[in-house]
Amino acid sequence: MKRSLPLFFAFIVGFIVLLSEFIPHSPFNQIVSTLEGWFMIISGFAILLGQISLIRMNTHKIAHRLPNWQYHLAGLISFALMLSFGLLWGMRETPGILGDAPGIQAWLGLKPFDYLFDNAYLPLSATLFSLLAFFIASAAYRAFIIRGLESNLLMITAIIVIIGRTSIGTMFTGWLPENLQFWHFPNLADFIMEYPNTAAQRAILISAGLGIVGSSLRIILGIERSYLGGDK
Amino acid sequence: MISIMNTIGIWLAAFFTLCIFSFLYKDNPFYKFAEQVFVGLSAAYWLVYIIYSIMVPNLFAKLATDFSGNIILLIPAALGLMMLMRIHPKMQWISRYPIAIMVGTTAGISMLRYMKSDILQQLTATMINPFAADTPAEIAGNLLMIIGTICGVYFFYFSKKQEGVSKAVSKVGIWFLMVSFGATFGYTVMARISLLIGRLDFLLGDWLHLIK
Amino acid sequence: MKLSVLAERRIIYLVLFVAVALPLLFPIGWKTEVSGYTQMVYDLVENTPENEVVIISFDYDPSTMTELQPMGEAMIEHAFKRKQKIIATALWPMGVQMAEQAFDKVLKDYHDKQRGVDYVNLGYKVGGMVTIQAMGRDLKEVFPTDTRNTPYEEIPLLMNVRRLKDIAWVSSLSSGVPGLKEWMMVARDSYNVPVTGGCTAVSAPGFFPYVNEQQQLTGLLGGLKAASEYESLIGRLGSATTKMDAQSIAHLLILIFIALGNIKVFAAKRRKNK
């Protein structure tokens, strides 16, 4: 019951969705439309579940004074602050429980939620990912070594694309006559992206697409059950 | 007052930016602090938007304005609450029902969409007349496209051992994949550098006012 | 002088930092050429008649805003120039703020544009492909209100818009899943609405196969360079264009690093063979 009924629901729902594609009339279109609306609401609760897990994990680390617990406390405080600001006064155009906070906006310039977003969240998010630029430079120096035919192909293509997608490529080969424009770096880079790259990516898309169709069918037919979790 | 708060905000942003950049020297308390603050802010942001963008307009507001007309919404609300039972080890089995409905819906939609977009449309786009092009470069490109797609797809066929002619076809597929990976590396370099440029633009322009 | 791995790494970081900072402080003003993919995006917006309603979906977060925000601002400006009506949506929660910031920036030059009449921000919805499919059937069911809590039926722009087929084109600016691919799969392949958009340079190679005769995607803006190309097409000196000099110098530096790395390995091999 605990496993077979959910599998049956997955089958019914998946089957109705598939059927509605071929019979887009009542009642199938209405059932699928209702399912789609419910999907959004249930997804919202799923994200709420993730937040609750995060809070539990952090409070556990703080309560048991595990290593680096002070940083988790800082994380929890920032969570509470942002959540309070958002719920009480809302964000940008959306009013909160206590309205739009015109008084606070008068001296802050923005709502508190937006102020934290612009001056804390945004720089943190952007900077964390900008670290990757340094790592890729380091990797280019240490790991990008010519070894055989395949790595040569990779290297040559990468060099053409790296040069061709900047102003330097335009300058290097901008002097070429009309009949040799194919060898102009930006045109060469575009050729590589439009033909051999597209061919390889298309092969990956087709193969992965076949895999997804297969695994979706396995889920609907109940052959694939890993999403149900352990046997309890 | 607004300009003072604006300046404080920029300095706060610069502080957090430099905290993250300090990781490049080595892991340190400033980086760890900034990392956890980011996690906390991110989680709160998601929660606030879930409440105001989905829970309120698509569920609670509808039930509040017309309860009898929207009574069916109690079903997804109940399913959502069942999802939250995942927290309790003994009650986890209850969450299987909403998960099954979500997985079933996604599987059904994905199967159809991927079948059309990633298989049928891509096959159609490959079945072209390679010689119906204006320039020799385009004809060569079309031929490369057809050969590359067929050899690439064949490379991913693992159900039979590839030897002899099939190994040669697979090898050509690998070459095309290598060209694609090289192009992807080139674009990845572009992407990562762009992100760094954005942060330096903020530090040098908005914070230090060195950029005119 | 033999340097440790750690010292070498720190020198690389410092050199990259300086190489990117200098062109920002002292701009060079190099020109870039427009690629065919960017031209396709431009032509789609340019050839759409006035008063048509379009969707720009902000499916990214601040971590990729350097590449995607200039695209969003440029597309909003182009649509405003062509007198099209814009619906902003988001499949990522941070996209709502990104959309508001983009509108704030462009509206400084378009004071006559009114919220609710010329543009509206419908906000964020979770669910990805399933949500887009629901939008295809009934937009009002998915977005009962906009971000100001104004009911759907009270927004003038949305008077004649009930589902995706009423939209002239959809542009998704995306940095992952859900995003451009999901919009293409549902809006284009199911409902035949033209789909275009932008993505980070990392994901661009994977999207090129969709720019085909079937027009699964009508052009593609891939990365910061494409954003600067689009800005040059609409005659805007935006943030992407000013950053291209730094991008070019950094690319040159990466090539130098690759060359130095290979020289180092081959020199070590030769020493070992001797």
Side-chain angles (χ1 to χ4, degrees):
Chain A
M1 257 297 265
K2 286 183 181 178
R3 289 182 77 85
S4 51
L5 206 52
L7 285 172
F8 177 70
F9 281 151
F11 170 75
I12 290 291
V13 162
F15 184 72
I16 289 174
V17 168
L18 286 173
L19 207 57
S20 75
E21 190 76 8
F22 300 100
I23 312 175
H25 305 295
S26 181
F28 300 107
N29 60 341
Q30 283 154 345
I31 296 172
V32 173
S33 183
T34 307
L35 267 173
E36 286 162 358
W38 291 4
F39 188 93
M40 272 192 292
I41 295 167
I42 301 170
S43 300
F45 279 95
I47 292 171
L48 185 61
L49 178 67
Q51 309 299 325
I52 295 170
S53 295
L54 184 74
I55 296 167
R56 281 182 86 203
M57 191 188 72
N58 276 311
T59 45
H60 172 80
K61 284 185 178 166
I62 295 164
H64 292 88
R65 297 291 192 263
L66 295 176
N68 295 325
W69 67 270
Q70 303 93 327
Y71 304 113
H72 291 280
L73 180 63
L76 215 55
I77 291 170
S78 60
F79 173 83
L81 215 60
M82 188 91 164
L83 183 67
S84 312
F85 289 159
L87 291 178
L88 292 176
W89 295 295
M91 49 278 187
R92 285 203 183 248
E93 304 293 326
T94 311
I97 298 168
L98 299 179
D100 275 315
I104 298 174
Q105 285 196 66
W107 62 267
L108 203 57
L110 292 166
K111 288 186 181 179
F113 182 90
D114 299 321
Y115 188 85
L116 263 185
F117 178 85
D118 286 350
N119 298 307
Y121 179 83
L122 198 147
L124 282 167
S125 178
T127 313
L128 264 169
F129 281 83
S130 73
L131 290 179
L132 295 167
F134 296 100
F135 301 150
I136 211 167
S138 177
Y141 174 73
R142 287 182 300 118
F144 213 0
I145 309 298
I146 300 171
R147 281 177 232 278
L149 170 65
E150 275 111 24
S151 65
N152 275 352
L153 267 174
L154 202 152
M155 175 88 78
I156 292 165
T157 317
I159 289 169
I160 293 171
V161 169
I162 287 171
I163 296 174
R165 294 301 290 160
T166 58
S167 319
I168 292 173
T170 312
M171 284 190 317
F172 271 178
T173 47
W175 50 269
L176 284 172
E178 192 67 39
N179 55 343
L180 290 175
Q181 276 299 301
F182 176 79
W183 302 104
H184 183 39
F185 268 116
N187 295 342
L188 204 51
D190 283 347
F191 179 86
I192 288 171
M193 299 315 295
E194 196 174 337
Y195 296 107
N197 167 73
T198 295
Q201 291 292 335
R202 192 162 279 169
I204 293 169
L205 285 174
I206 292 169
S207 308
L210 287 167
I212 288 168
V213 166
S215 61
S216 298
L217 208 51
R218 286 166 59 86
I219 287 169
I220 292 170
L221 293 175
I223 302 167
E224 177 65 51
R225 302 171 185 198
S226 56
Y227 64 90
L228 292 177
D231 214 2
K232 281 182 184 171
Chain B
M1 189 64 191
I2 290 178
S3 69
I4 294 170
M5 292 312 296
N6 198 34
T7 306
I8 292 172
I10 289 173
W11 276 82
L12 187 67
F15 167 72
F16 281 126
T17 303
L18 295 172
C19 280
I20 299 291
F21 273 146
S22 67
F23 181 76
L24 292 168
Y25 187 71
K26 63 175 180 175
D27 197 7
N28 60 82
F30 287 103
Y31 172 77
K32 287 180 190 162
F33 166 74
E35 192 185 33
Q36 287 303 320
V37 166
F38 170 69
V39 169
L41 292 176
S42 183
Y45 186 102
W46 274 80
L47 188 52
V48 168
Y49 267 91
I50 288 294
I51 292 168
Y52 280 120
S53 298
I54 293 134
M55 298 302 191
V56 169
N58 290 70
L59 181 63
F60 297 125
K62 284 185 176 177
L63 287 171
T65 50
D66 181 14
F67 185 83
S68 52
N70 290 308
I71 200 164
I72 200 168
L73 287 176
L74 289 177
I75 299 174
L79 287 168
L81 290 170
M82 286 162 74
M83 178 78 87
L84 295 180
M85 292 298 112
R86 203 154 180 84
I87 299 167
H88 293 281
K90 285 188 179 160
M91 311 269 269
Q92 266 182 8
W93 63 271
I94 297 175
S95 68
R96 285 180 185 156
Y97 294 91
I99 288 173
I101 290 171
M102 287 181 72
V103 167
T105 309
T106 313
I109 290 174
S110 297
M111 190 171 143
L112 298 161
R113 299 281 78 82
Y114 276 88
M115 175 76 84
K116 181 162 187 187
S117 300
D118 276 9
I119 300 172
L120 296 174
Q121 292 277 50
Q122 292 301 312
L123 285 173
T124 313
T126 312
M127 290 189 289
I128 51 172
N129 178 3
F131 301 103
D134 297 328
T135 63
E138 281 176 35
I139 293 171
N142 288 338
L143 285 167
L144 281 174
M145 174 107 78
I146 294 166
I147 294 166
T149 307
I150 294 169
C151 293
V153 171
Y154 190 79
F155 168 74
F156 288 111
Y157 183 64
F158 299 128
S159 303
K160 187 175 162 237
K161 191 179 175 187
Q162 290 170 353
E163 48 201 352
V165 173
S166 59
K167 195 171 180 184
V169 172
S170 197
K171 199 78 179 168
V172 172
I174 291 173
W175 293 342
F176 276 89
L177 286 166
M178 286 297 126
V179 169
S180 176
F181 295 152
T184 305
F185 176 78
Y187 267 76
T188 303
V189 165
M190 190 159 72
R192 304 297 178 224
I193 299 292
S194 303
L195 304 181
L196 175 62
I197 291 171
R199 294 326 295 155
L200 287 186
D201 189 50
F202 162 75
L203 285 175
L204 297 172
D206 298 328
W207 183 44
L208 296 174
H209 303 291
L210 293 173
I211 298 176
K212 295 181 188 71
Chain C
M1 182 183 75
K2 196 163 167 45
L3 294 166
S4 70
V5 172
L6 196 60
E8 264 184 354
R9 203 183 303 156
R10 287 175 181 165
I11 291 170
I12 289 170
Y13 295 165
L14 188 62
V15 170
L16 181 66
F17 191 94
V18 170
V20 171
L22 283 176
L24 289 174
L25 294 168
F26 309 106
I28 306 164
W30 282 328
K31 296 276 178 282
T32 56
E33 292 176 3
V34 176
S35 73
Y37 294 106
T38 308
Q39 188 68 49
M40 278 188 237
V41 180
Y42 176 86
D43 290 341
L44 174 67
V45 180
E46 187 69 14
N47 297 331
T48 300
E50 290 182 7
N51 297 317
E52 288 283 359
V53 182
V54 301
I55 287 179
I56 300 180
S57 192
F58 291 77
D59 307 325
Y60 59 97
D61 65 6
S63 64
T64 50
M65 66 181 288
T66 310
E67 290 183 282
L68 297 171
Q69 193 76 348
M71 291 178 196
E73 289 163 11
M75 291 202 85
I76 290 173
E77 182 167 347
H78 194 189
F80 277 164
K81 269 186 184 168
R82 299 292 300 134
K83 295 188 171 57
Q84 292 154 20
K85 317 272 183 193
I86 304 173
I87 297 173
T89 61
L91 296 176
W92 290 41
M94 290 80 181
V96 185
Q97 294 273 7
M98 299 289 97
E100 290 294 341
Q101 287 185 8
F103 277 116
D104 285 347
K105 198 160 181 184
V106 177
L107 285 168
K108 284 178 187 164
D109 298 322
Y110 290 87
H111 305 288
D112 57 325
K113 298 296 177 187
Q114 280 181 280
R115 187 180 280 260
V117 176
D118 301 295
Y119 71 98
V120 69
N121 190 347
L122 293 180
Y124 159 69
K125 291 296 168 199
V126 73
M129 205 189 294
V130 178
T131 302
I132 302 170
Q133 187 121 328
M135 286 164 70
R137 294 181 211 274
D138 190 344
L139 214 59
K140 187 186 165 192
E141 193 59 37
V142 178
F143 298 102
T145 64
D146 71 352
T147 51
R148 279 184 174 176
N149 289 338
T150 311
Y152 188 99
E153 53 276 1
E154 289 176 24
I155 300 169
L157 188 157
L158 300 174
M159 244 177 8
N160 297 321
V161 177
R162 281 307 300 217
R163 49 212 156 109
L164 279 180
K165 282 197 171 179
D166 301 327
I167 302 295
W169 52 260
V170 173
S171 172
S172 169
L173 305 168
S174 88
S175 62
V177 176
L180 184 56
K181 183 162 179 166
E182 284 70 24
W183 276 107
M184 180 270 301
M185 282 182 164
V186 180
R188 176 60 186 170
D189 287 344
S190 282
Y191 295 105
N192 229 15
V193 178
V195 173
T196 185
C199 63
T200 57
V202 173
S203 23
F207 280 114
F208 286 123
Y210 296 115
V211 185
N212 50 35
E213 274 179 15
Q214 285 71 29
Q215 292 195 314
Q216 286 180 284
L217 283 179
T218 310
L220 177 73
L221 300 175
L224 188 66
K225 178 156 191 302
S228 78
E229 289 170 12
Y230 199 85
E231 283 173 353
S232 73
L233 282 173
I234 64 167
R236 182 176 196 259
L237 183 63
S239 51
T241 309
T242 55
K243 293 179 176 97
M244 279 314 296
D245 292 338
Q247 183 93 56
S248 303
I249 298 291
H251 279 209
L252 202 56
L253 189 65
I254 296 290
L255 291 177
I256 292 169
F257 284 150
I258 292 173
L260 286 174
N262 277 281
I263 290 168
K264 185 184 165 193
V265 165
F266 284 124
K269 262 188 195 166
R270 279 183 78 182
R271 273 198 303 272
K272 198 176 166 187
N273 288 342
K274 278 180 186 170

